[in-house]
Amino acid sequence: MPDEPPSLHVELNRGNANLGGLQRYVDKWNVADLTDATLGVGKDKKLVIDSRGPRSTVQHLGRLKHAVKEFDNAWHDANNNVLGVLDSRKQLFEELLWEHRDLTEAFTALQLTHSNCQAALPEASVDDLAAQISALKAEKEKLSLQHQEELRAQRDETGKLKDQLIQAGLQ
């Protein structure tokens, strides 16, 4: 296995030290790292080459670092948004609790007032109400008959006056 390059060797040299026979593996490694970057496999099952060109490991790590920073910023913003929503919901919930308490107190006071009004009114039985209705109906009939008699008397009086005027006009 002397033809296989070491997989974890990343530096070309250390200061002025010469890598000797290992230099060719380092060169192969660095050339392999600059091959065309791919975007995955296409519909035709062939590699799709990235049109932006080859990238070195440093460029890939730089892009990864930038993506991690963007993700961290997005996470921080989302966290602040969630905390803001939770704070506003908590405040709204507290306001609703206070309003519910006030409405409960008002409802209790209203029930107390209603029960006091109910206690002040006498309870009437069905028989009492029926007797009151029949008395009112009898009074209504009596008033209706009296009214009809007064209307008849007024018509008779008007008829007499009319007859007197006609006789006074003939003379």
Side-chain angles (χ1 to χ4, degrees):
M1 290 199 211
D3 292 344
E4 289 185 23
S7 60
L8 296 177
H9 191 80
V10 292
E11 295 182 12
L12 286 174
N13 52 27
R14 291 183 184 211
N16 293 331
N18 186 0
L19 295 176
L22 298 176
Q23 184 64 43
R24 64 186 170 113
Y25 297 120
V26 171
D27 293 338
K28 281 183 183 179
W29 177 264
N30 288 333
V31 169
D33 192 36
L34 292 175
T35 58
D36 290 334
T38 61
L39 295 173
V41 180
K43 291 181 181 177
D44 57 354
K45 305 288 184 196
K46 293 184 181 179
L47 291 177
V48 177
I49 304 298
D50 190 355
S51 61
R52 294 175 287 194
R55 292 183 185 88
S56 67
T57 303
V58 174
Q59 289 171 324
H60 284 293
L61 290 177
R63 287 178 56 231
L64 180 62
K65 185 177 178 182
H66 181 69
V68 167
K69 282 183 181 178
E70 285 184 5
F71 177 76
D72 188 45
N73 288 338
W75 182 267
H76 181 69
D77 292 345
N79 189 31
N80 286 341
N81 288 342
V82 166
L83 290 177
V85 168
L86 289 177
D87 286 344
S88 64
R89 285 188 178 188
K90 178 184 173 193
Q91 182 182 6
L92 180 63
F93 183 70
E94 288 173 353
E95 290 173 6
L96 286 174
L97 283 177
W98 282 106
E99 186 175 339
H100 179 265
R101 193 193 84 186
D102 294 342
L103 288 174
T104 303
E105 290 173 359
F107 182 71
T108 305
L110 186 63
Q111 279 183 328
L112 180 63
T113 305
H114 178 70
S115 64
N116 289 342
C117 288
Q118 288 287 337
L121 293 175
E123 284 290 323
S125 68
V126 175
D127 293 334
D128 293 340
L129 292 174
Q132 287 178 357
I133 289 174
S134 61
L136 290 172
K137 282 183 180 179
E139 187 177 348
K140 176 185 164 191
E141 288 294 322
K142 178 182 166 188
L143 289 173
S144 177
L145 288 173
Q146 182 183 358
H147 181 69
Q148 286 177 1
E149 288 174 9
E150 289 176 2
L151 281 176
R152 196 172 305 122
Q154 188 178 11
R155 280 189 210 126
D156 291 345
E157 185 68 30
T158 306
K160 287 179 186 178
L161 287 174
K162 189 176 175 184
D163 288 342
Q164 288 174 2
L165 281 174
I166 292 174
Q167 287 192 5
L170 292 176
Q171 293 177 352

